[in-house]
Amino acid sequence: MSTRVQPVSAAAGGMKSKAPPVPQGRRAAGSPTGPTGSNAILKEAVDAVVSSFAKHTQGYGRVNVVEALQEFWQMKQARGAELKNGALVIYESVPASCPPYVCYVTLPGGSCFGSFQNCPTKAEARRSAAKIALMNSVFNEHPSRRISDDFIERAVEDARATFKGSQDAADNPNTGIGAFRFMLESNKGRTMLEFQELMTVFQLLHWNGSLKAMRERQCSRQEVVAHYSHRNLDDDMRSQMALDWIAREQEMSNIIAQELRSAEEELDQARLAGRELRFPKEKKDILMLACAQLNGVDTIS
């Protein structure tokens, strides 16, 4: 499986990187509710990982995947993993009056996954989300998913080839590729999921236009990376981004509605493909917060 990581876009000046997802599948348009094609392959892969994990921790028999996911993170915490907000796994069901039901699960580090099947019940949606989250959690423990010197060199070399950058650009932290190397080296020893959680902040800053604004204020990429590498994605950051979108709405009517539709489509496609969802879900939540504030509502309903 490839461990390719896309670098900071030197042309756009923003962060385009994503940690490599686990096996991806996509539901064909108009496909039936049962798993078909690549979605069926994804389901088989998820079931295989879940069953293997269960055999090593619980013995043979039917797996309660929701409990298994929680136990996995409690086990990590007991073994010394640094979990700032504890080992609690959080589920979020999307309100719906009829199937298919959708559920999201957020892991202690912030990574987010969702039900990747068409689920006839809310309980099945929760189990589906837990399955893909457990698969990613287990897979993330493999040594190949940890950022090492060898990984950094391969990733930077791949970035140079993709963007036709020079060796000087790779060594200069004020270039896109150089900033990419700086971020990787700053996160040496971390796993891909941990790196993805950090990259989500920069993806949102790029999407929101904040990176462009900082560049116009003559902030170097290295300064921006150094500052936001230690900044958690919190309610204050979300609120500020929501205010930015409200300001755009006043200049360009319906921009929030258009962006929200795009974010919802991206989130749905990524969910059905079994990908990590933090970035598209945060976009959707920020835009919904902006809508709520525009309508004079304090919280998202």
Side-chain angles (χ1 to χ4, degrees):
M1 181 169 295
S2 171
T3 55
R4 179 176 180 178
V5 177
Q6 294 297 333
V8 178
S9 171
M15 304 298 180
K16 297 271 190 177
S17 304
K18 290 187 178 181
V22 294
Q24 298 178 3
R26 175 167 291 187
R27 183 184 63 174
S31 62
T33 56
T36 60
S38 56
N39 193 266
I41 295 173
L42 175 62
K43 181 180 183 301
E44 290 174 7
V46 171
D47 288 343
V49 172
V50 170
S51 297
S52 177
F53 173 76
K55 289 174 186 176
H56 284 86
T57 59
Q58 302 172 1
Y60 290 86
R62 183 174 177 81
V63 182
N64 185 325
V65 70
V66 173
E67 290 183 2
L69 179 62
Q70 184 62 64
E71 289 171 3
F72 175 89
W73 283 94
Q74 288 173 342
M75 179 177 64
K76 277 184 65 68
Q77 186 178 44
R79 292 179 177 178
E82 295 184 10
L83 304 176
K84 295 180 181 179
N85 299 316
L88 183 63
V89 174
I90 300 173
Y91 291 88
E92 177 187 343
S93 295
V94 177
S97 58
C98 62
Y101 294 99
V102 174
C103 182
Y104 297 104
V105 57
T106 301
L107 301 179
S111 295
C112 179
F113 298 91
S115 49
F116 63 98
Q117 301 157 284
N118 290 309
C119 302
T121 67
K122 294 179 180 179
E124 183 58 36
R126 174 176 286 215
R127 285 192 291 270
S128 179
K131 280 183 182 180
I132 194 70
L134 180 58
M135 176 181 179
N136 276 270
S137 298
V138 172
F139 185 63
N140 194 56
E141 296 301 302
H142 194 275
S144 66
R145 301 287 288 178
R146 199 166 290 276
I147 298 174
S148 64
D149 289 330
D150 288 343
F151 177 88
I152 292 172
E153 291 305 318
R154 291 196 306 270
V156 172
E157 185 60 33
D158 184 54
R160 284 181 54 207
T162 300
F163 291 92
K164 297 180 174 58
S166 65
Q167 183 60 52
D168 290 341
D171 295 334
N172 183 352
N174 289 319
T175 66
I177 296 176
F180 177 56
R181 175 189 281 277
F182 177 78
M183 289 194 67
L184 286 171
E185 290 179 343
S186 299
N187 288 274
K188 193 182 301 181
R190 290 192 178 189
T191 66
M192 284 290 98
L193 275 185
E194 290 171 332
F195 187 64
Q196 175 64 53
E197 290 155 11
L198 170 65
M199 289 306 301
T200 298
V201 173
F202 290 97
Q203 288 174 303
L204 287 170
L205 290 170
H206 175 64
W207 163 74
N208 191 60
S210 301
L211 289 181
K212 180 180 178 181
M214 285 183 276
R215 191 168 64 250
E216 291 172 349
R217 293 199 297 269
Q218 306 301 313
C219 296
S220 71
R221 285 187 175 91
Q222 189 175 18
E223 290 173 333
V224 173
V225 169
H227 175 74
Y228 282 99
S229 292
H230 304 286
R231 176 78 184 272
N232 291 327
L233 181 55
D234 54 20
D235 288 342
D236 288 342
M237 188 181 293
R238 295 184 187 96
S239 295
Q240 183 57 57
M241 290 187 180
L243 290 174
D244 291 339
W245 282 98
I246 290 173
R248 290 190 184 94
E249 180 72 19
Q250 294 171 348
E251 297 175 357
M252 189 182 304
S253 181
N254 294 324
I255 184 64
I256 292 179
Q258 294 172 15
E259 193 70 21
L260 182 57
R261 282 195 297 271
S262 176
E264 288 174 335
E265 290 175 2
E266 180 185 354
L267 178 60
D268 196 46
Q269 290 177 0
R271 176 180 60 80
L272 292 172
R275 299 174 190 151
E276 203 277 329
L277 305 175
R278 183 82 182 274
F279 176 49
K281 189 172 185 301
E282 288 287 355
K283 286 198 296 185
K284 177 184 175 182
D285 290 347
I286 289 167
L287 292 166
M288 290 181 66
L289 178 60
C291 287
Q293 292 179 356
L294 276 175
N295 295 327
V297 180
D298 292 333
T299 58
I300 300 175
S301 58

